[in-house]
Amino acid sequence: MTIRLASLVLAAAGTFAALPASAQFAKTEDAIHYRQSAMFLQSQHFGRIAAMANGRVPFDAAAAQANADLVATISKLPWAGFAPGTEGGKAKPEIWKEQAKFKELSDKLQAETEKLASAAKGGNLDAIKAQVAQTGDTCKACHDTFRSR
Ligand code: ASC
């Protein structure tokens, strides 16, 4: 019995090891929860810099830098959640039919958030404002194409 269980565990581990990191979800709802959680964190931290850029909260250079660094890191995360066969949630099925376009937009977001982190490090509010706008446009372009509701 114990040996049987051990071989099952090993077989399961072997299966996971053979798959790319992007496929390591036990079930579709886990993948959906993962990508929506990453998007939520991203919008919270982006929202804090955007609030400064829009003058809704006073500019705080250290806070802008901390939030921009987080956005640059978090923007790497959602994509693994769009694993093969995990259609659902707000994700349009086009994501899985137009993988090259989806990848292009997700790469663009990561490039823009890196630029946002650089701008925040520089501490110039006008540069931050310009890059918040560029980054927000990139969020929106992908949502317009690939997100429903
Ligand atoms: C956010 C957020 C988005 C983007 C988008 C930018 O803070 O939650 O989806 O910015 O509104 O246009």
Side-chain angles (χ1 to χ4, degrees):
M1 190 60 179
T2 309
I3 289 168
R4 220 178 133 208
L5 183 61
S7 32
L8 273 175
V9 169
L10 280 177
T15 305
F16 281 116
L19 294 168
S22 61
Q24 291 183 357
F25 294 99
K27 35 186 174 19
T28 291
E29 68 197 61
D30 288 351
I32 294 173
H33 190 193
Y34 182 94
R35 66 202 186 213
Q36 290 187 351
S37 300
M39 290 291 188
F40 176 72
L41 290 175
Q42 196 169 213
S43 78
Q44 290 290 302
H45 293 288
F46 180 64
R48 289 173 199 171
I49 313 171
M52 293 181 214
N54 299 334
R56 278 184 283 118
V57 307
F59 178 54
D60 173 335
Q65 197 179 331
N67 282 293
D69 284 347
L70 284 168
V71 172
T73 299
I74 298 165
S75 72
K76 300 180 199 306
L77 297 180
W79 326 114
F82 296 91
T86 64
E87 286 87 342
K90 297 181 186 181
K92 285 191 180 169
E94 282 76 6
I95 288 171
W96 288 269
K97 291 174 196 147
E98 297 169 34
Q99 289 272 285
K101 186 172 179 189
F102 186 65
K103 171 129 186 3
E104 188 185 314
L105 290 169
S106 66
D107 286 348
K108 171 131 167 61
L109 181 71
Q110 291 167 79
E112 295 297 342
T113 60
E114 284 297 338
K115 289 187 204 167
L116 183 60
S118 296
K121 196 171 181 192
N124 179 291
L125 183 55
D126 285 334
I128 294 169
K129 282 181 182 175
Q131 193 52 38
V132 162
Q134 289 293 119
T135 306
D137 285 351
T138 307
C139 300
K140 186 174 185 303
C142 195
H143 290 163
D144 286 352
T145 314
F146 288 121
R147 182 179 69 174
S148 62
R149 291 171 295 198

